[in-house]
Amino acid sequence: ISQITGIGDGNQLQAIYKDSRNNFWYGGTNGLIFTAPNAKSCLWYKMDDANFPISHNRIRCIYQDKDQNLWVATDGSLNRFDYRTRQFIHYNIVDSTRTRNANWAYSLFEDDKGRLWIATCLGGIFVVNKNKLISNTSGYYVAEQNFYKNAGKKGLSDNFINRILPDKQGNVWALTYNNGINKIDSRTNIVTKQVVATDAQNSLNGNASCLICDNEGYLWVGFQGGINRIDPKTNQSKLIKYDGFKESNVRVLTEENNHIWITTSDGTFVLDKKTLNIREVKIANKIFACSFYDKTSNEIYLGGTDGFVAFSPTITNNKNANTSVLLTALYVNDSRCIAGFHLSLEAPSAT
């Protein structure tokens, strides 16, 4: 990321996003980096920054709603970006009893009724009227609904929700931190725990690590050693294993046309959605924590510690199995070289 920012500050990327204005956003453990198209510089939003503040440096999710509002979920609740002022507006969300809050917001989406569903750590899921939230001027906004643990038929299996998304039938799926996957019927609000087998003996794994919904409506779940495909219409799941990552943790799933890209702790793989065949793709010897598929440029972005790689999915047609060298920084005589600066290669004085 130093090629973007021009400075040596690090950022372990957790979210990459390209908005409707072709701006790129890179969020991680050290704030949020904003780059506009053809811009020669960037903006770096950090907690307590005098000019470009954001509520917390740990960025969990970046999402643009149906009205092109950009929302950022952080460990300091929810933020909305004002494109006119280039500043963030911070929102504090609580339940009706004010005992639970969305202070640690992890994921969100907007449904067809104009409501934001916000997944949190410890607070469960908050459902808010988006327009009312935006127009709210008081210090706290009381959510219209809050799903949480131990609430009967409308209760979650856990209050720590890592990921939330809708399926094509209008149901809401929530990936908990260590207690499986919950399916919420948006008409009745009844919650059911989805059983997902993670090996041939049908043993269950409550520690699924990632969840996406593809264009055909299937849900894909990643866990330690494999992935699972769920049909939301029937709740039937199919276990997919591959020897290449049977001992690895599946960290990121990315849909690209007819493929699902699988990023693990030991490499990157691509799955054909029609045949379910999987093969390894040599990208870079790095561990990645987030991804973004840019349909316009047909490029996949994988983000990790202090940087990201971008490549075309057509790399799968490359028969050269050799891994390319990835140069992340260059130091000469203990000084870091920045593009555009004059470099002296004189040897240090012996005296």
Side-chain angles (χ1 to χ4, degrees), residues 32 55 69 71 78 88-89 119 153 164 167-168 171-172 208 214 227 235 244 257 260 270 272 278 281 307 338:
L32 181 64
S55 63
N69 294 298
W71 300 86
L78 201 61
F88 279 98
I89 301 167
K153 291 183 178 180
I164 189 170
D167 64 22
K168 301 295 184 181
N171 302 300
V172 176
D214 69 16
I227 59 176
N235 288 338
N257 295 320
I260 301 293
V270 61
D272 186 306
I278 299 174
V281 181
I338 303 295

Side-chain angles (χ1 to χ4, degrees), residues 17-72:
Y17 193 80
K18 181 182 178 183
D19 66 23
S20 60
R21 304 186 184 198
N22 295 321
N23 303 305
F24 263 99
W25 300 83
Y26 308 91
T29 58
N30 192 26
L32 181 64
I33 301 168
F34 165 88
T35 61
N38 303 317
K40 296 183 179 180
S41 61
C42 71
L43 301 179
W44 198 328
Y45 294 86
K46 293 184 181 181
M47 189 176 179
D48 299 326
D49 188 279
N51 297 315
F52 303 105
I54 196 167
S55 63
H56 201 283
N57 281 345
R58 185 173 285 274
I59 310 300
R60 299 290 183 176
C61 176
I62 307 167
Y63 173 78
Q64 193 164 43
D65 67 26
K66 297 175 183 179
D67 297 317
Q68 282 72 57
N69 294 298
L70 187 96
W71 300 86
V72 180

Side-chain angles (χ1 to χ4, degrees), residues 265-278:
S265 51
D266 292 318
T268 301
F269 305 81
V270 61
L271 175 146
D272 186 306
K273 290 194 293 185
K274 295 181 179 179
T275 65
L276 301 183
N277 291 331
I278 299 174

Side-chain angles (χ1 to χ4, degrees), residues 261-264 266-270 279-281 283 288 302:
W261 290 76
I262 306 164
T263 305
T264 77
D266 292 318
T268 301
F269 305 81
V270 61
R279 68 185 182 98
E280 185 175 8
V281 181
I283 302 296
F288 300 106
L302 297 178

